[in-house]
Amino acid sequence: MMFEKVLVPTDFSKYAQKVVECIGELPGLKEIVLLHVVDATHPSKRGWTRGPEVEDAKIDLGDIKENLEKLGFKVTTRLEVITEADVSRTIQKVADEENVSLVVMGARGKGLISGVLLGSASTGVVRSSDKDTLIMRYKMLEGLEGATYEKFCPMMFSKVLCTTDFSEASKSAIAAIKDLKGAIGEVILEYVVSKGETQEEIEAYVAEANEQLEKIKDDLASAGLKVRTHVDVGSPREQIKSLAIREDASLIVMSSHGKTWLKQLMVGSTTFDVVRTAERPVLIVRSR
């Protein structure tokens, strides 16, 4: 099961707190590894000493661990102090060492610059990790006390938008949907036609896409899933985001790669752009 053991990096920001609140929503979850990285690559206000920061982090990790254990999860904490490399690389190292099946992160962290859509640690993990990655997002509501967050986690799997381009790589996302069938309310399968010179050509691509989507739909329906299909025409990243808003999808599921990708990149450009700018949680399923 893809969610049995997950890694949750936290910087103790409000945003990271919300991620922890949502963890319990993941179907099949048994074990959680909580990670905090103390970045000692630059001097702190007190010079190079990180003692107080490390001690505070231990206490904070302990508090979160206690709360999660009350919910019945097995919890391990990891505290890493780095003097070189970056936070995202440390997250990947711990994910490998702990052999987790999923990394769950907030879209933003403490170093939030207004207008930045994905924090640097999340960006690094999305771009170069080989683990399935869930990027949580919250609707930010400006209240009297400043920004507050509305949780997406209740019913995160109630309406799942799954995109495909019929490539071998994109079959990973379909396989993940099947794996989660008991937890998912409804699936919207989307393909975006992004080529074609003439109206006739575009219509032929649309007809072909509808035919292929029906086959995937039948396969998922036979596994007991409720599925609808959708073919759009235009820029994949824009159409995916637009459909997610129109349908009020609770989660977007994408494979890390599509038909056109460079071997050295762990995530394709369309997936990266959707993760960066979508207003929903996005689950990136890495190509096996």
Side-chain angles (χ1 to χ4, degrees):
M1 186 67 182
M2 68 189 304
F3 297 142
E4 211 160 281
K5 184 177 184 182
V6 305
L7 173 66
V8 184
T10 179
D11 61 2
F12 310 123
S13 62
K14 267 187 189 161
Y15 216 93
Q17 236 169 301
K18 293 289 173 195
V19 173
V20 171
E21 284 175 21
C22 286
I23 286 296
E25 296 287 319
L26 296 177
L29 179 62
K30 291 180 182 156
E31 204 174 331
I32 298 164
V33 180
L34 283 173
L35 166 68
H36 178 69
V37 182
V38 175
D39 187 350
T41 52
H42 305 290
S44 68
K45 293 186 182 86
R46 299 188 195 85
W48 288 94
T49 171
R50 295 283 165 172
E53 196 180 331
V54 169
E55 291 313 307
D56 286 350
K58 281 180 186 166
I59 294 165
D60 289 341
L61 282 174
D63 290 345
I64 301 170
K65 177 182 180 182
E66 204 178 305
N67 289 334
L68 289 169
E69 282 176 339
K70 282 178 191 160
L71 299 173
F73 299 115
K74 181 185 174 193
V75 185
T76 311
T77 59
R78 292 277 305 254
L79 182 62
E80 300 283 317
V81 180
I82 57 169
T83 51
E84 53 186 18
D86 60 20
V87 175
S88 63
R89 245 182 267 164
T90 308
I91 292 169
Q92 290 163 52
K93 176 181 80 84
V94 173
D96 288 338
E97 287 170 3
E98 295 287 347
N99 195 23
V100 299
S101 46
L102 180 76
V103 179
V104 186
M105 297 182 75
R108 304 164 188 239
K110 252 184 196 150
L112 168 59
I113 300 164
S114 196
V116 172
L117 299 163
L118 203 61
S120 59
S122 301
T123 298
V125 171
V126 166
R127 275 195 187 282
S128 48
S129 174
D130 59 356
K131 301 283 183 192
D132 293 346
T133 309
L134 174 59
I135 296 294
M136 292 302 301
R137 252 207 180 79
Y138 308 91
K139 292 174 180 166
M140 294 187 71
L141 305 171
E142 293 296 331
L144 294 172
E145 293 91 45
T148 55
Y149 306 93
E150 180 189 319
K151 287 204 295 187
F152 258 121
C153 42
M155 314 294 287
M156 199 200 310
F157 294 89
S158 57
K159 195 190 264 193
V160 175
L161 171 60
C162 180
T163 69
T164 180
D165 64 359
F166 310 130
S167 62
E168 275 306 307
S170 72
K171 287 178 182 170
S172 301
I174 306 293
I177 294 285
K178 261 179 139 170
D179 196 24
L180 291 165
K181 58 178 184 272
I184 292 178
E186 182 183 6
V187 180
I188 300 159
L189 270 179
E190 180 184 27
Y191 176 83
V192 182
V193 173
S194 56
K195 57 186 178 180
E197 298 294 315
T198 63
Q199 193 57 38
E200 287 75 29
E201 268 185 16
I202 292 167
E203 280 167 12
Y205 284 128
V206 167
E208 188 189 330
N210 274 316
E211 208 172 293
Q212 293 211 53
L213 281 183
E214 281 304 314
K215 285 179 191 159
I216 300 171
K217 176 184 173 178
D218 290 346
D219 180 43
L220 291 174
S222 68
L225 284 153
K226 183 181 170 195
V227 186
R228 284 189 286 128
T229 60
H230 222 283
V231 177
D232 286 304
V233 178
S235 147
R237 70 200 69 162
E238 294 308 325
Q239 294 300 331
I240 291 164
K241 289 187 303 190
S242 162
L243 183 62
I245 292 166
R246 288 201 311 275
E247 287 283 358
D248 197 20
S250 56
L251 175 71
I252 300 171
V253 177
M254 304 180 76
S255 63
S256 51
H257 295 108
K259 276 183 177 143
T260 52
W261 59 284
L262 301 169
K263 284 276 189 289
Q264 69 270 30
L265 292 177
M266 298 305 293
V267 68
S269 62
T270 298
T271 302
F272 183 70
D273 283 340
V274 171
V275 175
R276 209 169 52 81
T277 57
E279 294 169 15
R280 320 271 139 174
V282 182
L283 173 61
I284 304 165
V285 183
R286 306 289 176 175
S287 310
R288 299 290 174 246

